Amino acid sequence: WQERDGNGKMESYEKPVTEEEGKGGERKEKEEVKAPPEFQAPPTVIMFPRQQEISSKGLRRQKRDWVIPPVNVPENSRGPFPQMLVSIRSDQDRNISIRYSITGVGADQPPNEVFSIDPVAGKMFVTKPLDRERRSSYHLRAHAVNMNGERVESPIDLYIYVIDMNDNRPEFKNQVYNGSVDEGSKPGTFVMHLAAFDHDDNTTANGMVRYRILSQTPHSPIPNMFTINSETGDIVTVAAGLDREKVSQYSIIVQATDMEGNLNFGLSNTATAIISVTDINDNPPELTSRTFSGEVPENRINVAVANLTVIDRDQPRSPNWNAVYRIISGDPIGHFTIITDPHTNDGMVTVVKPVDFEQNRAFMLTVVVNNQAPLASGIQSSLQSTSGVTISVVDINEPPFFPTNPKSIRFEEGVPAGTSLTTFSASDPDRFMQQSIRYSKLADPAEWLSINTTNGQIVTTATLDRESIFVKNNIYEATFLAVDNGSPMASGTGTLQIYLIDVNDNAPSLLPRESQICERINRNAGINITAADSDTDPNVGPFVFELPTFPASIRRNWTVSRLNGDYARLSLRIQYLKPGVYEVPVIVSDSGNPPLSNRSIIKVKVCPCDENGDCTLVGAVAAAGLGTGAIIAILICIIILLSMVLVFVVWMKRREKERQTKQLLIDPEDDVRDNILKYDEEGGGEEDQDYDLSQLQQPDSLEHIISKPLGVRRVDERPIIPESQYPIRPAIPHPGDIGDFINEGLRAADNDPTAPPYDSLLVFDYEGSGSTAGSVSSLNSSSTGDQDYDYLNDWGPRFKKLADMYGGGEDD
């Protein structure tokens, strides 16, 4: 064994052996060499370290640490169990009785009872097979105590290592792996990586995995297109010739074997590697024909006129396959473009600018096709990537057009009807067709114009007025239609714009038409007036404002002073003018040549004013022509109306209060008491019904009645106030009269303060039994016997109907 001294130095010790023991040891060693692997060597004896000692000189000797060698236990041992591992001893067991125990994971901690110890002999056992993949080592502590449980030795640490056995196959994370490699790749190109994991100890051969390829499908162009690194699992190419157009996918079976790939002793597992050969642009697109043709009607756009087909052996719908068409000659203006169909890869020659038959009767295009992706290195374009396209233009009947559209002319307003304004004619673009054009009016908002149907001459039919609502910004617009006689007929429109020059044909009008002024003259008092004129410069302002000479009171009471070219001020000439409404005439003249004048009336309200110069309310009313009596009458009407509203509100509140305090009544027609109720169907009688008559008889036991709480319980509504308590009726087995019982319940209901104001459904505790009348079903009726019903006539008018039915004799 080994010990560590006080200075930390390791010292080795050997136990002396006798000659016999030495010979036995030699013999045993020889046997061990010849023994099978299952043979277990004698267990090691582990001694507790010696305690501190005191020398004769009184010095304390430092305890030396024991170095306990670990215990190695192979996993998956076949037993038998328990299997002894080591023997633990204390040198004090010569003097006292020692009890041994172990603690730690695997002993008294989960997983429990993996290891056990003989408390007397100190032999430690393993009780079951160990699995290194679940737990590779255990750390236990050995204890030694006397019979009183007192510790006699310091605990020692025991380390148990589980020796790995090759009991796990390599495992791939996936059964199928996917990789890819470009077609045409050179040998040595990395493809993909595979990895398998072995749960055994990877520091030993048990966990060292090696890889190899078992098979390749298909074998084209050779059976071994790929190889795998036996240690890393990297798959690389080993030969050239990958062509996606021939083989697009390879399937490879890869085997992983532990024991460093030893097929005799190692365990193996397989996985599949799917290698896709990715496409590169190694096939240029080729047009299927050297020439293509099509035709297009003139003046049409966004129509396909020819279809170009192409062949490309690369992967469909990929940039290496998608075709891109270009027109390299024959279309300098750009009338055409080629759109690629994403599904078929065809090129559709499409018109984007209208073509004119009169200018170009045919187009000769040169088209080249390429892929979206450039060609791979070393791949040349094909001669079949270029073709010619002939496009013929079809002549159609084109509509006439107005060379100047819109056409603008200038005229003074007021031109009389019948005046020729201009000739608005159209041209026919079809030079190779002999056609005539006829004209008509399409839009003439004011109905001022007419057009000659053959030559397009425009003549007025009414006077042109610049101030018309149909004239916008001095311009009047009319639209005309030109139609040829082709097949089919075609038409074109043109707009004529007439700029109307203003003449002074509208007199100015005064603004404002109403105003107010204070009754007394002051320095700032006055009304600013101006004029409105429908004409434009120079036929508008500056305006001239003046008062007429007749009547004379106008100039005596009022005066007009000029402020500027467009405004003047109307004010009082006298110091005071009686409040009221006055109509003051004013003559307004414009600056046209010759000028036009207009006599306008302005209504001026003269009223008393406050200190700020504003009309007061009373003054405004007085000025409006209402006297004091009228004002008082209006106020009285307002007071009467408010009084009526107040009286109505008080009456409504009083009525609502009476409605709340009034008792609830019920319409006698809705009262169901003492009324005859008519039902549609009465049934077939008691003999035809399955009635349980036991519910109407006296019960044999009254316990369910006596056990009820005190008082009469109502089931038709929940009481709002506490219910009154009534004495319990004596539980007599046979009450003499059921009528007394009902009267008692009726009395209780009438005196119940929680009951509603009218009769309701009452549930009684007991209804009685033993009726002297017996069962109604016992009565027999027969129509065969003779019976006299004449006595019904003596019962009064209420039984007259029954008397007529049964007392009328045989005739009835």
Side-chain angles (χ1 to χ4, degrees):
W1 66 86
Q2 292 180 331
E3 290 185 355
R4 190 184 304 275
D5 59 12
N7 297 325
K9 184 178 180 181
M10 301 296 294
E11 295 183 3
S12 301
Y13 297 87
E14 294 182 0
K15 179 181 178 181
V17 297
T18 61
E19 184 177 354
E20 296 179 356
E21 291 175 345
K23 295 179 179 179
E26 294 176 0
R27 183 169 59 253
K28 186 177 299 184
E29 182 177 351
K30 294 179 181 179
E31 292 175 357
E32 289 176 355
V33 174
K34 299 179 181 179
E38 289 80 3
F39 179 82
Q40 296 294 334
T44 305
V45 178
I46 298 177
M47 300 293 295
F48 280 92
R50 293 192 298 272
Q51 300 294 326
Q52 296 179 351
E53 299 177 357
I54 299 176
S55 63
S56 59
K57 297 180 180 181
L59 299 176
R60 184 180 298 272
R61 181 180 178 185
Q62 177 68 31
K63 177 180 70 174
R64 286 183 285 182
D65 297 334
W66 288 83
V67 178
I68 307 299
V71 179
N72 296 323
V73 181
E75 66 172 335
N76 303 325
S77 175
R78 298 181 180 179
F81 296 101
Q83 180 181 353
M84 184 176 175
L85 300 180
V86 295
S87 179
I88 301 174
R89 286 189 56 197
S90 172
D91 53 4
Q92 298 188 32
D93 60 355
R94 304 185 187 91
N95 303 324
I96 60 176
S97 297
I98 302 297
R99 294 292 181 266
Y100 301 97
S101 63
I102 56 175
T103 59
V105 176
D108 60 344
Q109 299 178 17
N112 301 75
E113 300 180 355
V114 176
F115 302 97
S116 64
I117 189 171
D118 187 339
V120 177
K123 296 180 180 180
M124 191 176 73
F125 302 90
V126 59
T127 62
K128 60 180 68 175
L130 302 181
D131 188 356
R132 191 200 68 85
E133 285 70 42
R134 291 187 178 181
R135 193 174 186 87
S136 61
S137 64
Y138 296 87
H139 178 203
L140 303 177
R141 304 200 74 184
H143 306 270
V145 297
N146 57 19
M147 299 301 293
N148 296 328
E150 298 175 350
R151 189 176 70 178
V152 297
E153 297 285 359
S154 297
I156 60 175
D157 294 321
L158 300 177
Y159 292 94
I160 301 173
Y161 295 109
V162 183
I163 301 175
D164 182 46
M165 306 295 287
N166 191 19
D167 59 344
N168 290 279
R169 293 179 180 272
E171 294 181 1
F172 289 95
K173 184 178 180 181
N174 301 313
Q175 282 300 312
V176 178
Y177 291 84
N178 293 293
S180 62
V181 61
D182 290 340
E183 62 176 330
S185 296
K186 297 179 180 180
T189 302
F190 173 80
V191 179
M192 60 187 302
H193 172 76
L194 275 71
F197 179 76
D198 197 318
H199 292 280
D200 292 326
D201 190 358
N202 58 5
T203 61
T204 66
N206 299 335
M208 295 181 180
V209 181
R210 297 295 182 265
Y211 305 92
R212 71 190 187 106
I213 295 178
L214 296 182
S215 64
Q216 168 193 306
T217 304
H219 292 173
S220 176
I222 60 174
N224 299 319
M225 290 293 295
F226 306 93
T227 186
I228 188 170
N229 189 305
S230 61
E231 295 185 1
T232 62
D234 293 338
I235 298 178
V236 296
T237 59
V238 294
L242 291 173
D243 190 351
R244 190 203 65 84
E245 287 72 35
K246 295 180 179 179
V247 179
S248 61
Q249 182 174 281
Y250 290 91
S251 177
I252 295 177
I253 306 300
V254 178
Q255 183 184 57
T257 306
D258 59 13
M259 297 299 292
E260 297 182 289
N262 191 321
L263 299 178
N264 296 324
F265 302 102
L267 302 177
S268 301
N269 213 337
T270 60
T272 302
I274 304 298
I275 300 176
S276 299
V277 181
T278 57
D279 182 49
I280 64 173
N281 195 11
D282 57 345
N283 295 283
E286 298 178 352
L287 291 165
T288 59
S289 177
R290 297 292 297 172
T291 59
F292 296 89
S293 62
E295 63 179 18
V296 55
E298 63 175 337
N299 301 322
R300 296 283 298 277
I301 61 172
N302 298 328
V303 292
V305 297
N307 190 63
L308 311 182
T309 56
V310 70
I311 296 176
D312 196 321
R313 290 183 294 274
D314 289 322
Q315 184 176 359
R317 294 170 184 81
S318 68
N320 301 327
W321 177 82
N322 295 336
V324 178
Y325 299 87
R326 291 185 300 111
I327 299 174
I328 59 177
S329 65
D331 185 21
I333 303 179
H335 289 94
F336 304 94
T337 187
I338 303 179
I339 302 174
T340 304
D341 188 324
H343 301 288
T344 63
N345 219 22
D346 294 345
M348 296 175 290
V349 182
T350 306
V351 183
V352 293
K353 291 183 179 180
V355 295
D356 190 354
F357 176 82
E358 286 71 26
Q359 296 181 359
N360 293 290
R361 298 188 180 186
F363 292 87
M364 302 296 296
L365 309 178
T366 302
V367 177
V368 63
V369 61
N370 300 104
N371 293 124
Q372 287 183 349
L375 292 174
S377 177
I379 305 299
Q380 300 295 328
S381 298
S382 173
L383 296 177
Q384 296 181 354
S385 298
T386 304
S387 294
V389 182
T390 302
I391 305 297
S392 301
V393 181
V394 179
D395 188 21
I396 63 173
N397 184 27
E398 299 177 75
F401 68 95
F402 291 88
T404 304
N405 192 13
K407 183 176 182 180
S408 298
I409 58 176
R410 295 172 64 91
F411 273 89
E412 284 188 353
E413 64 172 330
V415 173
T419 303
S420 177
L421 299 181
T422 185
T423 299
F424 196 27
S425 59
S427 301
D428 193 344
D430 297 314
R431 298 193 304 270
F432 302 99
M433 298 181 183
Q434 300 298 326
Q435 299 177 152
S436 61
I437 301 176
R438 298 186 64 83
Y439 301 93
S440 62
K441 188 170 59 175
L442 186 63
D444 183 11
E447 297 293 335
W448 288 344
L449 307 174
S450 65
I451 186 170
N452 189 290
T453 58
T454 57
N455 60 16
Q457 184 179 11
I458 306 296
V459 178
T460 61
T461 59
T463 302
L464 304 184
D465 185 7
R466 192 198 66 85
E467 289 75 32
S468 172
I469 59 175
F470 302 105
V471 177
K472 308 296 181 184
N473 298 325
N474 300 330
I475 296 176
Y476 178 76
E477 286 189 355
T479 306
F480 298 92
L481 184 67
V483 183
D484 62 17
N485 60 348
S487 178
M489 292 189 300
S491 62
T493 59
T495 301
L496 179 65
Q497 294 180 342
I498 305 175
Y499 185 89
L500 297 177
I501 303 172
D502 183 45
V503 296
N504 192 18
D505 57 349
N506 292 279
S509 59
L510 185 66
L511 293 177
R513 295 303 181 93
E514 295 181 357
S515 186
Q516 62 183 16
I517 193 171
C518 294
E519 60 182 355
R520 297 186 181 277
I521 189 172
N522 57 64
R523 185 174 57 184
N524 297 324
I527 302 171
N528 292 336
I529 57 177
T530 184
D533 197 326
S534 300
D535 295 323
T536 59
D537 289 335
N539 299 319
V540 287
F543 299 103
V544 177
F545 302 90
E546 57 183 350
L547 297 175
T549 57
F550 181 84
S553 61
I554 299 300
R555 291 197 173 188
R556 184 174 59 250
N557 296 332
W558 305 92
T559 182
V560 175
S561 57
R562 179 183 178 87
L563 296 179
N564 52 39
D566 295 329
Y567 287 90
R569 172 169 294 179
L570 176 65
S571 58
L572 291 176
R573 179 183 293 273
I574 59 180
Q575 294 294 327
Y576 172 78
L577 184 63
K578 181 180 178 181
V581 178
Y582 297 86
E583 292 184 354
V584 181
V586 178
I587 300 175
V588 185
S589 302
D590 58 19
S591 298
N593 186 18
L596 296 179
S597 300
N598 182 27
R599 179 187 175 100
S600 302
I601 301 297
I602 179 174
K603 291 184 178 181
V604 180
K605 185 186 298 181
V606 180
C607 58
C609 297
D610 54 15
E611 61 275 7
N612 297 323
D614 298 327
C615 282
T616 60
L617 178 60
V618 177
V621 175
L626 296 178
T628 304
I631 296 175
I632 295 175
I634 292 173
L635 294 177
I636 292 175
C637 291
I638 294 174
I639 293 173
I640 293 174
L641 181 61
L642 293 177
S643 301
M644 293 176 63
V645 173
L646 181 61
V647 170
F648 179 75
V649 171
V650 172
W651 177 78
M652 289 296 295
K653 289 186 176 180
R654 183 174 180 182
R655 183 180 179 185
E656 183 66 23
K657 185 175 181 181
E658 291 178 353
R659 183 181 300 172
Q660 294 177 358
T661 56
K662 187 177 180 180
Q663 289 186 347
L664 295 175
L665 297 178
I666 187 170
D667 192 344
E669 294 181 359
D670 297 334
D671 191 357
V672 298
R673 296 177 295 178
D674 298 335
N675 288 332
I676 297 177
L677 302 180
K678 181 180 179 180
Y679 298 92
D680 293 338
E681 184 178 354
E682 295 184 354
E686 292 184 357
E687 294 180 355
D688 298 333
Q689 304 294 335
D690 187 12
Y691 292 109
D692 185 8
L693 300 178
S694 62
Q695 301 298 327
L696 302 177
Q697 299 176 0
Q698 178 182 2
D700 296 334
S701 174
L702 300 179
E703 293 181 0
H704 67 287
I705 299 176
I706 301 175
S707 61
K708 283 191 175 182
L710 300 179
V712 178
R713 296 295 180 185
R714 302 297 303 274
V715 297
D716 54 330
E717 69 174 13
R718 186 174 183 177
I720 301 178
I721 63 176
E723 299 178 1
S724 304
Q725 303 296 325
Y726 303 99
I728 300 177
R729 295 183 292 273
I732 57 177
H734 298 283
D737 187 5
I738 192 64
D740 296 337
F741 178 80
I742 295 176
N743 291 332
E744 183 179 352
L746 181 60
R747 226 174 10 253
D750 293 338
N751 296 327
D752 186 5
T754 63
Y758 302 105
D759 292 348
S760 301
L761 176 64
L762 301 179
V763 179
F764 298 93
D765 293 337
Y766 177 71
E767 293 186 354
S769 65
S771 174
T772 57
S775 174
V776 179
S777 300
S778 62
L779 299 178
N780 295 324
S781 61
S782 176
S783 60
T784 58
D786 297 334
Q787 187 172 353
D788 185 10
Y789 295 98
D790 293 339
Y791 61 88
L792 295 176
N793 295 321
D794 301 332
W795 286 13
R798 294 187 178 183
F799 294 92
K800 185 178 184 302
K801 185 65 176 178
L802 290 175
D804 294 340
M805 294 174 60
Y806 293 96
E810 296 180 356
D811 296 338
D812 297 335

